[in-house]
Amino acid sequence: MGTIERRGIMERLDNGEVVIGDGGFVFALEKRGYVKAGPWTPEAVVEHPEAVRQLHREFLRAGSDVMQAFTFYASDDKLSNRGNTASQKFGCTNINAAACRVAREVAQEGGALFLGGVCQTPTYLSGASKEDTKEIFRGQMRAFKDEGVDFILCEYFEHVEEAEWAIEVGLETGLPVACSMCIGPQGDMHGNSAGHCAIRMARAGAKIVGVNCHYDPFVSLEAIKLMKEALERENLKAYLMCQPLAYMTPDAGKQGFIDLPEFPFALESRICNRWDMHRYAREAYDLGVRFIGGCCGFEPYHIRAVAEELAAERGRFPAGSEKHVVWGGGLKMHTKPWVRARANREYWENLNPASGRPYSSAMSKPDNWGVTRGNEMLVQHAHETTTEEEDLVRGIKDKLKTACCQHHQETKKEADLVAAAQAVTETA
Amino acid sequence: MGTIERRGIMERLDNGEVVIGDGGFVFALEKRGYVKAGPWTPEAVVEHPEAVRQLHREFLRAGSDVMQAFTFYASDDKLSNRGNTASQKFGCTNINAAACRVAREVAQEGGALFLGGVCQTPTYLSGASKEDTKEIFRGQMRAFKDEGVDFILCEYFEHVEEAEWAIEVGLETGLPVACSMCIGPQGDMHGNSAGHCAIRMARAGAKIVGVNCHYDPFVSLEAIKLMKEALERENLKAYLMCQPLAYMTPDAGKQGFIDLPEFPFALESRICNRWDMHRYAREAYDLGVRFIGGCCGFEPYHIRAVAEELAAERGRFPAGSEKHVVWGGGLKMHTKPWVRARANREYWENLNPASGRPYSSAMSKPDNWGVTRGNEMLVQHAHETTTEEEDLVRGIKDKLKTACCQHHQETKKEADLVAAAQAVTETA
Amino acid sequence: MGTIERRGIMERLDNGEVVIGDGGFVFALEKRGYVKAGPWTPEAVVEHPEAVRQLHREFLRAGSDVMQAFTFYASDDKLSNRGNTASQKFGCTNINAAACRVAREVAQEGGALFLGGVCQTPTYLSGASKEDTKEIFRGQMRAFKDEGVDFILCEYFEHVEEAEWAIEVGLETGLPVACSMCIGPQGDMHGNSAGHCAIRMARAGAKIVGVNCHYDPFVSLEAIKLMKEALERENLKAYLMCQPLAYMTPDAGKQGFIDLPEFPFALESRICNRWDMHRYAREAYDLGVRFIGGCCGFEPYHIRAVAEELAAERGRFPAGSEKHVVWGGGLKMHTKPWVRARANREYWENLNPASGRPYSSAMSKPDNWGVTRGNEMLVQHAHETTTEEEDLVRGIKDKLKTACCQHHQETKKEADLVAAAQAVTETA
Amino acid sequence: MGTIERRGIMERLDNGEVVIGDGGFVFALEKRGYVKAGPWTPEAVVEHPEAVRQLHREFLRAGSDVMQAFTFYASDDKLSNRGNTASQKFGCTNINAAACRVAREVAQEGGALFLGGVCQTPTYLSGASKEDTKEIFRGQMRAFKDEGVDFILCEYFEHVEEAEWAIEVGLETGLPVACSMCIGPQGDMHGNSAGHCAIRMARAGAKIVGVNCHYDPFVSLEAIKLMKEALERENLKAYLMCQPLAYMTPDAGKQGFIDLPEFPFALESRICNRWDMHRYAREAYDLGVRFIGGCCGFEPYHIRAVAEELAAERGRFPAGSEKHVVWGGGLKMHTKPWVRARANREYWENLNPASGRPYSSAMSKPDNWGVTRGNEMLVQHAHETTTEEEDLVRGIKDKLKTACCQHHQETKKEADLVAAAQAVTETA
Ligand SMILES: [Zn+2]
Ligand SMILES: [Zn+2]
Ligand SMILES: [Zn+2]
Ligand SMILES: [Zn+2]
């Protein structure tokens, strides 16, 4: 953990190294009991810092090279949205500063970097002006600068316009800025292609660009591939980053896993296993991605799988491999002989895991409301959701179901599935 | 069944009528015990004409407006390929003539048209010259002309070049020529897009163009859609025809259902039901397809479903609806009350049928050898497949499995599935 | 086809032979356009004898040793139930006599036996007396006797009591009587175990007992196994017969496939393939069943698979094997080399066929109304189902859905699935 | 957190309270990077006590009334089995004492009880004598007694004989003893029925009996039901406890999830969601189970779901519900309106979650070696697994696959699935 580890993010990337990110704190801490699903805000870093610290340590141990301060959605507009009282109780600055301190502390234990992140805002979705939106980002960035983060991450944007504004504010800090959008191969909510989004992020000044959240590793890499091709066409230089879901989403629509009926409380049967992550790490690396991490659903063992797959390239195993042998080798110590017979790569690489759910299907049909920035239902407000609003959204749901019946939806979907499957098989 | 029925195929189409085709005789008669899977040749029309006649009658009764003589693969090169003795025993001309007579007889019972068809030849696949290949088609066309067919169908071509040659020979008869290829949205085996194939078929002189076999109704319509757009771009006038499989194939690759591991003896769990065919008929009609039929897997009741869906547009129900009430209405006469509760469209239109196979998945990975015209393994020869050849192909199968492991295949496939699913959801 | 074939059913069985039955005419002819789903009555044998004759020939060719006259539900009460006019137009006696003549004609073409069958009656379900019910059977039996059938089959009974009454009437003819019930391992609708039903059928005088319809081959054999054990415990001598569905029904409840939501118009994805039938034939034979046939869903090629599996035991292949090579051997003549690589038993025996339906599950939850004999909704009446009755049954359906929610149903089902799976694995 | 919480386990149960257990530390800590899959031993409690403490706190917060010291497999024979060095480095006593201290510390933070547990031993599986086996348990119990645990849990036994021996040693401490076996409805590895196992545990002196691990909640409750009936038949008084997997296992065989091909590294797609746990808690409560917890796969949010389902019965919500609103209520604060439309019980209770894996099936076929106590391959030894041993077990695996082909396995399995499904539907 000597001198070499003090080098910054750009030095590492310029040196050809793979930087391993961490996983999604919001989902992991929701399962541990510290984050509320719905608002998804990070005030737990003030209320229960020991829980956040422990999760940082687990990712560090798993091989993460960067500790992302737990600041997701920690802007005052989100902290006070729809009945949330976190803004009032703690406030954006306190939360961001506390998150930085916890991240820095753990980062220093293992020679990792630490960073602060901002993401899309209710302010923007409500249709506010560029300056008003940038002011929201500025509030968060100040805390990052004061706490001495190593770099800035602007992430989880559905509209490239807002991502550009965030990058602009990030650059005001003088620190390197990375930017990733929560989009797939279809591009952003304003109809910009994935490639065009990459170009705009790079032109706005992000040194590292890519995607995070919303899609599984393999869909996300499809989006990255389009980004890479666009950047090359335009002769733009930017490192690629990928921090996908740890949920399988071949059936997700344009708004990603949020549209899937299982979001957020029944995603379990879609969780990726460690072998999926080996494959993800290998394909990301082969595609040229050098910032490889995860988002919602990633647990420490998923990151460890990434670090183990790339151990040869990185010249080291993560600390957590003390308790893991690659490709199931630990099973040689299992009591049952038929489990010992599974202690090899061939077994796990070829296994197609069953769901254990005979009444469930392979795919779901996503909700597809298609509302985005400016729609009244997305507007930020401080009061709780009223019964009238509840009735409204449930009514819309039922109406959509009727208007665009299953029959019709299926037609389109199957046709496209076929087209995709064909395209694939040809090249495989 | 008066004067109006004597009108030819072009008169009917020019008059804006929907022409309903029939189903796949080869597969239907294989299940009835009269066709051998493997060679798939139609000598049964000589050996057991009563079985072929009965199947024609069932399709006529189901609503078919055209009786396709059972001449599939009835060219002498195919009838003598790999140990087949049908050429020697009966010969191309006898089989084609006999098939025409049976088709004509039944057509006359119901005011239908009858036609002769040719399809792709081992001669072409072996790399023979244009003239040699055309001579094969000429042998078949002569019988059609002699027997007075109403029109010619060139179908089941994987290479548009061979389709063009067949059309040219068809035109020599002076009769209208229709042409359909067994391709999907990915185009033909020589890399020609579906749209380009349509243009070439139309330019070669086919008045009706489209696809048949190899893909399910909904994938097939995707290909037709591409054809339609291309024809419109080029200002070419041709009627569209669609005669798809009655097997669901969202996972098929470029060579269609032949590549799927279930082909040809375990396709049962993929069979379309009558409600799938209602959907198919409606979508085909809405897309502008006016020759709507079926290929392998279509049984008479599938065609009846097409005719019932389009009964309003056609102004009549098929004779076979004597024994069927649309949308399950016959169940009102069922003994059990809970089955009577199913006598309505809403029930059937929204049902997602289960497979009853808890160890089976939704999709399979296709074989994908990618060999086509000119490859030694496709060359026509008279002798039976030898043990050495058998060992060779089984060896290749094993080798491909290893070389391009499941792991790798899946990556690509899933990524494309995602892309497709996204594209779809957006527009749905 | 010499003297030996004139021997009766009992001579054959006593001689240790396997007798192969035929398949389900009602379902096969519904798909061909000659039978109406709902009433399911066989007047087509008068209206379209050539269609019935052709189907008999196909089964004969596939290996059936017995031709069952197409007399299903041909009792006057059923022929006039709920708006059916077949009783009035043709009448029970005409239909049964015509069916016998067609069956006899084809049987004589191939040295097969022919038989007449009766099945459960609306009269019994309506709660009529023993004598009234027996009189219904007598009407049918008279025609059988007059036409010279080789033996009588009483089949498709849900209540052993009614089966006994039918057997008694059958015995009045002086011919051998076989009897099979449409029950599974759970027994009949009055709570009699499968074993007890077998005992009562044998004691009533049936020389051959077993099950038909309602369950897939493997569930049906479980019921047969219970019957066999019960007969042995009681030292009763009777041959075992099995004529199951050709639909996979691991999820069916006590009333069999009729309760499954896919019945009768969306069962396609459950259809058994020929390899399932090889397995069925082998397991039936090993269990000691010597009358091995099929019911709804069985097509000629399914019966051919049974005959091919037992070719060694029977010393012959069926005539239809002229067009089939066991275990996929015909594929050696296929054009595509990767399909030629499938020309072997190992390939087909180990294939798990996909459904091609990514939005479908493996299992469905059956309706489970639990109404049986005597319930008002089952009562026979001549008039058509009224709108009031329709509303009633659809209302009950909705109510049951609410009362016994999916949540609750699933609990029970899964628990039992587990119990079953465990029981199985232990012995496998 | 006053006086009432100091009451012991028997007082609470005698008072009619529901006691909520915790989840499986071994699996949870493997994913966090502190336990090695294969040996599964708990030396992490000495190496990384902060990680173990944090997990205890999360379960406490989720509603657990008892803190189980992390002592799984902490007997010296297991700690030195097959290359494990934990015995040598730390030793049984140190590990057990450290685990007790951590558990006690957290228990005191929330008025919970704490307990020590023992489980099945390599010594017993190797065929050692009763006294030798009991001596292994005594080593662990001494530490429990010294550290002042509130009660003893003997758990995870596959043979009731070993469970009895453990109970006997437990009683030597003078503390209440609970005992659960890792069996399903099929009973133990020596052929003792689940009911008989319960009787023997109760007669041996366990005040609380039940099952843990190896099966999903609903299969486990089937086993408990059999235990309950047996205890009632024998007029034995014992409280019932259930601590199942959080993995769906309808397809598991007699050795439970260890036999499933997904064990232990690809179980993700089988993970239960919180709504499954609501159902589990309700059904367990209705069956009379009063010690309701979890084992492998249970995360804190699963236990919270149990506590929320039983909040009315217990008169309180867990602390962790600060960050959770029952039945998805937190989604009222979500940004997207279509997600707000999911903020209700009806939505989640009726959702059938998809797997996102189109090449996967619903069920797997378990390994089924059937080796148990006394088999050479189960014998404890200190050296690592050799290459010869590896080859041996992989060879056996291949051989079993051939000998008992998929074909054959499936037969049996399906038949039983059917039997189960039928049994269920009848009563649903
Ligand atoms: Zn995320
Ligand atoms: Zn075809
Ligand atoms: Zn039937
Ligand atoms: Zn466990």
Side-chain angles (χ1 to χ4, degrees), chain B residues 156 212-214 245 257 295-296:
Chain B
Y156 197 75
N212 79 298
C213 206
H214 274 208
L245 298 179
F257 83 141
C295 199
C296 303

Side-chain angles (χ1 to χ4, degrees), chain D residues 32-266:
Chain D
R32 296 182 184 198
Y34 298 100
V35 164
K36 185 182 271 190
W40 306 110
T41 46
E43 58 274 20
V45 77
V46 179
E47 300 165 323
H48 303 280
E50 75 289 354
V52 179
R53 186 180 301 114
Q54 174 62 25
L55 186 56
H56 276 304
R57 278 191 181 131
E58 293 170 13
F59 279 114
L60 181 73
R61 184 170 160 79
S64 297
D65 297 310
V66 298
M67 297 288 105
Q68 179 170 351
F70 184 38
T71 63
F72 188 77
Y73 268 156
S75 58
D76 275 317
D77 56 343
K78 191 71 174 68
L79 293 169
S80 63
N81 197 18
R82 293 180 182 272
N84 198 337
T85 57
S87 171
Q88 193 182 326
K89 277 161 78 178
F90 309 107
C92 158
T93 303
N94 283 334
I95 291 174
N96 281 282
C100 284
R101 285 191 295 268
V102 174
R104 184 177 55 217
E105 177 191 339
V106 180
Q108 287 172 347
E109 291 172 13
L113 302 174
F114 86 107
L115 68 140
V118 298
C119 66
Q120 71 177 11
T121 60
T123 297
Y124 179 82
L125 289 177
S126 300
S129 71
K130 179 169 182 178
E131 258 325 293
D132 287 354
T133 305
K134 288 178 79 167
E135 199 49 40
I136 293 287
F137 296 132
R138 257 183 218 111
Q140 296 165 273
M141 299 285 189
R142 241 173 262 129
F144 300 156
K145 185 73 183 165
D146 291 349
E147 297 295 333
V149 301
D150 290 302
F151 65 102
I152 300 288
L153 174 60
C154 307
E155 68 170 357
Y156 197 76
F157 290 99
E158 288 177 305
H159 305 81
V160 70
E161 180 184 51
E162 191 183 9
E164 289 172 320
W165 298 350
I167 293 167
E168 288 170 24
V169 178
L171 292 174
E172 295 172 4
T173 63
L175 295 167
V177 174
C179 187
S180 65
M181 295 180 67
C182 53
I183 61 172
Q186 288 181 280
D188 88 348
M189 293 304 113
H190 277 152
N192 298 296
S193 73
H196 185 62
C197 288
I199 291 168
R200 285 178 60 174
M201 289 189 280
R203 290 220 167 110
K207 298 291 190 204
I208 309 168
V209 305
V211 300
N212 78 299
C213 207
H214 275 208
Y215 297 95
D216 72 36
F218 312 103
V219 183
S220 296
L221 289 177
E222 282 298 297
I224 296 273
K225 200 178 160 210
L226 297 172
M227 289 182 162
K228 184 187 182 188
E229 290 164 0
L231 292 169
E232 286 173 355
R233 271 197 310 274
E234 298 290 317
N235 274 318
L236 287 163
K237 157 101 179 130
Y239 289 104
L240 297 170
M241 78 184 295
C242 190
Q243 303 217 85
L245 298 179
Y247 302 110
M248 287 296 189
T249 64
D251 42 355
K254 191 166 183 176
Q255 295 226 357
F257 83 141
I258 288 175
D259 273 19
L260 291 174
E262 294 86 1
F263 176 87
F265 292 134

